Amino acid sequence: MVDRFGSRPVMFGSLLITGAGLMVAVYMQELWQLYLASILIFAGQPGATALPVGRLIGIWFPRTRGRMMGLVMAGNNFGGITMVPLASFLVAAAGWRYAYLGFAGIIFILAFVVLLVITDRPPLV
């Protein structure tokens, strides 16, 4: 899909799907809603993360591709380190529903940042 439609629409749509999954989780009352939320969250993740980013790194940074991929992976690990304490804080302070709501808000904000920043053309230097 990234090759056919481009990185921006795939990332934007995937982030919207992930955010929708988080929103479903906020309001879940039954087991099937947990399944639906999980399916949406995990269906959106590949198109929002590694697949389009790998393609964009090759387009934007052809000479320093390896270094940039290393930075992207370091950023991924940084998110893993910072999001767990943030989630723990949100759950302890406001409850798990508001934690899901907060992360859904972050995902929706990122979706609109993707619309402003991501392009399949290399940046002009």
Side-chain angles (χ1 to χ4, degrees):
M1 289 178 63
V2 172
D3 288 336
R4 185 171 189 178
F5 301 111
S7 298
R8 183 186 313 183
V10 170
M11 288 179 80
F12 180 72
S14 295
L15 286 167
L16 291 182
I17 290 168
T18 302
L22 292 168
M23 291 301 294
V24 168
V26 169
Y27 298 105
M28 69 182 161
Q29 297 288 323
E30 298 184 25
L31 184 61
W32 69 267
Q33 293 166 332
L34 173 65
Y35 293 149
L36 176 62
S38 297
I39 288 168
L40 289 172
I41 291 167
F42 292 114
Q45 286 299 309
T49 56
L51 295 175
V53 170
R55 181 171 183 262
L56 289 172
I57 293 287
I59 293 171
W60 288 3
F61 306 101
R63 287 196 228 153
T64 58
R65 182 177 306 148
R67 186 178 321 139
M68 292 300 119
M69 189 58 86
L71 285 172
V72 167
M73 291 299 117
N76 186 23
N77 292 332
F78 180 75
I81 290 171
T82 57
M83 287 300 145
V84 172
L86 178 60
S88 298
F89 172 76
L90 288 175
V91 169
W96 66 269
R97 291 183 193 273
Y98 287 106
Y100 271 106
L101 188 62
F103 283 119
I106 291 169
I107 294 294
F108 288 135
I109 290 169
L110 286 175
F112 289 104
V113 169
V114 162
L115 286 177
L116 298 174
V117 174
I118 299 299
T119 179
D120 285 323
R121 292 185 211 108
L124 299 173
V125 178

